[in-house]
């Protein structure tokens, strides 16, 4: 992409009303624009990152055997009357009346609708296990939206729903999502810690939140510090196998959100030098809730013994749009964002120090073509801005590599290559610089 | 994908309330499920097609120089009060009040919001031309939703908005979308005819609808039959060049929707044997409307002479979800859907005639792996269903190729390959069949 044809409205000033660094940087780097309280438009650069985050989430859901569907944003109220949640949900649910005076709502979550889909098509134990997910915009009418996309009202969520014959197989489904989540967040450069959590309005008796530690986190969390660097099992995990040992390895160590925290147990189970109390951002939340929805909504399947019984369910959420904020909280410095390669909106930035100078333009075009061919999708700053402003913008938007090309260097056959994360700079030939960027890419 | 792990709820009976063939087939093939009047969930197979359609639309927008953003589904009413459309739009607009009693609406289109985004960031002729598009769910509260996704209430639309200095450059922007649309629809196997159209509630004085001829079309159209097979310019078009001759080639021949039809002109301009009157489905609609929104909303740019003037705008819509219905109307037979390869949910179907038989299972696995490696993404029917039902399902869901593998054939070293579109069948070795499918793919 040539910057002269793109829309990248960076701000020099720090927006006054943005309280946390990710919100400030998302506004300053031209990723989002607020359209109403807690409702954002995604500008071109922000949308590219959002799509990369979404695609990682999708790939890891698919790998774990979940099947993608897409439910609509609006739902009929009658569906929520079946589960009893229509009246129970409170003011966070956006209630709507259509021209025929029928009650609709903007889905804050989809347990009811997916249960109705399941019961319509799946009637036998032979149809199990099933895990259906979708990645769709949700709305929660937060009383005080804040922190940008961290606590917005219209937000993008991945929500998966598992259906199983009994509690044991439902727990296996829960474990598959538990492991898929570890892999998902690791691919985005995040260290997410699973913590025992409260089930809240979703219900059920088993639940984990996946928490990123960050000073700006909304909730206080307590955990064994060994969990932080434990890493993810990785893509080689056999999702058809027994995942319990991998789950146990994590859940054996103490980790709890504020609501579930038990100070006495924390002290008893965790050596003093490993007792970590910090603030955290919730990026995923998984629940096992048995027959809470399937019983009232009559989502029954026939068991091998010929009896019909309600299926056992779980639900599994990832805050896709919120993740962008969480990634920035974890990866930035005073100059701006430092995107992990897997979610960077462009693979490299090329700075033309003298747009209009034929030799410089030609060298930039050559680099642009070579990087494009290698699939790196570069962003070429071909605008007439002065060098200082171009450097600042490129640091702010945080692409992994910066290739700086100017007339003086070209005379000596040199360009400058800068790695954003470390600020290391090197002078080398254009061909070597391009080769370095291509080689530096994670396969 | 293995069918035993998928969710493919095909119906044997024709749904009574579906009036047109695409609606019937979308329900029967398990592509969609109605959740409320005009509101659908996309089941796994339908979602795969929807994403392929969406991606073709996106690629052709990008090729024509449009920049992707994503605006939210909900919009503040105040924005629509600026343009005067909030009161004018009528009951098709879904109006919503949030917990703080603020007026919101579910966007039926985005002229106002995109104009507000533009005016916030682009102030100079140097920022032009710009074309911003998004692919987002819209809501129009149709009084009588019908024909499945053809006239739904919640629907997926691509809408692009161009911003130019003057009318001449705005017409060049219009031409870029005109040509991009021809290429877009052609890639999906559709013959779309651009027709002079009424501008309706969007406004302006130049507009074309892109129409697919189909008996079940909602509107009557009139055109020179030579337009039907004129074809699209193709991907080699230079979008930086002058596209007027390509546009003129099409607009020189008579083509008009009912509202714009002039019978006398039709007769005068079109030889009698080329006068086609038919029914059509609108799949795209483009508008040039000058300063209709930029003037009241004060989206001004500074011209080279130092003066500020409102930008000239156009908007360009594609009914992404409706396209699925249009494609099925154009591509089906008595047995089901016949997907054009570019939008087929899977590249090929493999039918295991005797799941559980070790040799048959092994041959199926081999075919599955070879086709997967070639990037064809096969669907393997590994269920215990009887052969007749498997054949019927595979015809119904319309994958381009069917590879039928059974114990008897395997003994003779043969499998059966069937091309869905022509029903041609051939017995050949497994390796040859796989090679034939791979070679038959459009590059």
């Amino acid at each position: 992409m040539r910057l002269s044809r793109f829309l990248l409205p960076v701000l020099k000033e720090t927006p006054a009303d943005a309280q946390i660094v990710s919100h400030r940087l998302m506004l300053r780097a031209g990723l989002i624009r607020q359209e109403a309280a807690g409702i954002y438009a995604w500008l071109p650069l922000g949308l590219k990152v959002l799509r990369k985050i979404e695609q990682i989430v999708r790939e890891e859901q698919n790998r774990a055997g979940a099947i993608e569907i897409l439910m609509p944003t609006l739902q009929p109220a009658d569906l929520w009357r079946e589960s009893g949640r229509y009246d129970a949900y409170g003011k966070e649910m956006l209630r709507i009346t259509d021209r025929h005076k029928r009650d609709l709502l903007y889905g804050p979550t989809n347990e009811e609708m997916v249960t109705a889909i399941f019961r319509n098509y799946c009637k036998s134990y032979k149809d199990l296990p099933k895990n259906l997910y979708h990645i769709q915009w949700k709305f929660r009418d937060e009383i005080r939206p804040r922190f940008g996309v961290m606590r917005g009202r219209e937000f993008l969520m991945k929500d998966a729903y598992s259906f199983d014959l009994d509690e044991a197989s439902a727990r296996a489904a829960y474990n598959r999502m538990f492991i898929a989540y570890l892999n998902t967040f690791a691919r985005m450069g995040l260290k997410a810690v699973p913590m025992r959590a409260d089930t809240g309005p979703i219900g059920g008796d088993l639940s984990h939140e996946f928490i990123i530690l960050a000073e700006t986190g909304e909730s206080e969390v307590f955990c064994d510090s060994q969990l932080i660097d434990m890493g993810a099992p990785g893509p080689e995990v056999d999702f058809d196998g027994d995942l319990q040992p991998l789950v146990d390895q994590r859940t054996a160590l103490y980790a709890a959100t504020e609501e579930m925290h038990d100070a006495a147990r924390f002290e008893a189970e965790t050596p003093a030098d490993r007792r970590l109390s910090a603030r955290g951002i919730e990026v995923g939340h998984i629940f096992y809730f048995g027959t809470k929805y399937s019983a009232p909504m009559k989502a029954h399947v026939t068991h091998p013994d010929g009896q019909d019984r309600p299926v056992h369910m779980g639900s599994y959420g990832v805050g896709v749009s919120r993740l962008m904020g969480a990634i920035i909280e974890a990866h930035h410095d005073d100059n701006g964002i430092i995107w992990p390669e897997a979610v960077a909106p462009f693979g490299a930035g090329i700075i033309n120090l003298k747009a209009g100078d034929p030799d410089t333009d030609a060298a930039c075009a050559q680099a642009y073509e070579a990087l494009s061919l290698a699939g790196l999708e570069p962003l070429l700053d071909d605008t007439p801005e002065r060098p200082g402003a171009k450097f600042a913008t490129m640091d702010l938007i945080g692409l992994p590599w910066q290739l700086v090309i100017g007339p003086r260097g070209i005379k000596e056959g040199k360009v400058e290559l800068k790695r954003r994360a470390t600020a290391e700079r090197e002078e080398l030939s254009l061909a070597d610089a391009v080769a370095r960027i291509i080689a530096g890419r994670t396969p």
Side-chain angles (χ1 to χ4, degrees), chain A:
Chain A
M1 178 60 63
R2 288 164 196 277
L3 187 53
S4 60
R5 296 181 167 213
F6 201 56
L7 177 68
L8 182 64
V10 300
L11 306 178
K12 276 180 202 125
E13 298 79 30
T14 297
D17 55 338
Q19 298 167 45
I20 64 172
V21 66
S22 60
H23 189 194
R24 284 197 294 270
L25 286 173
M26 288 184 76
L27 292 170
R28 283 194 55 214
L31 303 180
I32 54 170
R33 175 176 187 268
Q34 182 172 306
E35 299 295 341
I39 301 180
Y40 292 88
W42 298 81
L43 300 176
L45 200 73
L47 179 60
K48 286 178 91 73
V49 178
L50 188 68
R51 291 299 182 221
K52 294 205 170 186
I53 294 171
E54 180 183 333
Q55 185 57 20
I56 290 173
V57 172
R58 176 177 291 118
E59 287 171 10
E60 296 306 323
Q61 289 294 293
N62 293 346
R63 198 194 303 275
I67 303 289
E68 189 173 7
I69 62 174
L70 186 62
M71 291 177 272
T73 60
L74 298 196
Q75 306 185 17
D78 282 344
L79 201 51
W80 288 65
R81 294 193 176 106
E82 281 191 56
S83 72
R85 280 208 295 181
Y86 187 67
D87 294 322
Y89 209 93
K91 290 194 166 178
E92 278 192 15
M93 179 188 280
L94 190 67
R95 292 155 211 260
I96 303 171
T97 307
D98 74 8
R99 67 190 296 170
H100 296 300
K101 306 288 173 218
R102 284 175 298 214
D103 292 330
L104 299 171
L105 57 96
Y106 200 121
T109 178
N110 283 66
E111 279 80 7
E112 284 80 359
M113 189 176 280
V114 79
T115 302
I117 290 174
F118 176 86
R119 78 178 168 196
N120 196 36
Y121 301 123
C122 300
K123 316 275 191 191
S124 159
Y125 70 92
K126 295 175 190 162
D127 297 321
L128 301 178
K130 277 281 177 290
N131 183 327
L132 302 174
Y133 78 97
H134 76 158
I135 302 176
Q136 177 62 294
W137 294 92
K138 308 288 191 299
F139 199 92
R140 289 186 192 162
D141 202 359
E142 300 277 354
I143 190 160
R144 216 170 295 107
R146 57 195 164 142
F147 302 156
V149 298
M150 289 285 210
R151 191 160 288 281
R153 295 197 292 166
E154 185 170 330
F155 61 99
L156 189 59
M157 183 163 91
K158 186 284 299 180
D159 35 328
Y161 303 88
S162 65
F163 302 88
D164 284 274
L165 201 61
D166 52 29
E167 182 172 342
S169 45
R171 291 207 174 223
Y174 186 93
N175 288 347
R176 284 194 290 275
M177 288 293 110
F178 189 107
I179 299 300
Y181 277 30
L182 292 173
N183 286 345
T184 300
F185 302 127
R187 280 184 64 186
M188 298 172 194
L190 293 176
K191 294 177 180 175
V193 180
M195 303 199 180
R196 287 288 300 216
D198 192 20
T199 56
I202 303 284
D205 52 30
L206 174 62
S207 177
H208 284 89
E209 284 184 20
F210 289 75
I211 301 279
I212 309 299
L213 301 189
E215 280 168 33
T216 52
E218 283 197 276
S219 54
E220 194 160 9
V221 296
F222 305 85
C223 73
D224 188 319
S225 61
Q226 289 201 329
L227 280 166
I228 309 295
D229 291 306
M230 195 172 272
E236 300 309 317
V237 165
D238 175 14
F239 281 100
D240 291 330
D242 179 14
L243 301 174
Q244 197 64 51
L246 284 171
V247 172
D248 288 346
Q249 201 186 337
R250 271 112 189 143
T251 53
L253 298 175
Y254 189 93
T257 59
E258 201 165 8
E259 302 79 31
M260 299 292 282
H261 182 49
D262 175 341
R265 249 194 68 204
F266 191 31
E267 284 186 27
E269 293 180 11
T270 315
D273 61 335
R274 281 165 34 195
R275 270 177 231 149
L276 188 66
S277 124
R279 301 202 70 79
I281 301 166
E282 177 201 335
V283 290
H285 201 160
I286 64 179
F287 303 87
Y288 165 68
F289 45 71
T291 61
K292 178 178 156 80
Y293 299 91
S294 56
M297 294 184 67
K298 300 190 176 47
H300 292 189
V301 289
T302 311
H303 282 232
D305 65 7
Q307 295 289 311
D308 283 0
R309 297 186 191 93
V311 286
H312 285 249
M313 292 176 56
S315 75
Y316 314 91
V318 168
V320 176
S321 44
R322 172 184 287 189
L323 270 168
M324 197 177 312
I327 292 169
I328 294 172
E329 292 290 334
H331 298 280
H332 69 271
D333 62 16
D334 289 346
N335 298 323
I337 301 166
I338 305 171
W339 293 115
E341 194 183 302
V343 299
F346 294 97
I350 305 169
I351 294 178
N352 183 330
L353 287 178
K354 199 170 179 186
D357 174 67
D359 290 346
T360 311
D361 289 354
C364 287
Q366 193 186 332
Y368 186 83
E369 198 169 340
L371 292 171
S372 298
L373 271 174
L376 269 147
E377 214 193 342
L379 176 69
L380 167 58
D381 186 347
D382 57 348
T383 65
E385 272 284 1
R386 60 189 176 74
K390 290 190 177 194
F391 293 138
T393 295
M394 209 51 98
D395 274 356
L396 177 62
I397 68 171
L399 310 181
W401 297 95
Q402 299 171 12
L403 192 54
V404 184
I405 302 180
R408 201 182 318 164
I410 285 175
K411 278 200 192 101
E412 298 161 18
K414 298 281 184 202
V415 299
E416 188 181 85
L417 181 64
K418 176 177 162 183
R419 188 142 182 69
R420 173 67 180 90
T422 59
E424 284 171 85
R425 293 153 192 277
E426 208 179 340
E427 289 217 327
L428 65 185
S429 76
L430 180 58
D432 285 349
V434 167
R436 181 76 53 90
I437 295 174
I438 294 171
R441 181 170 42 163
T442 315

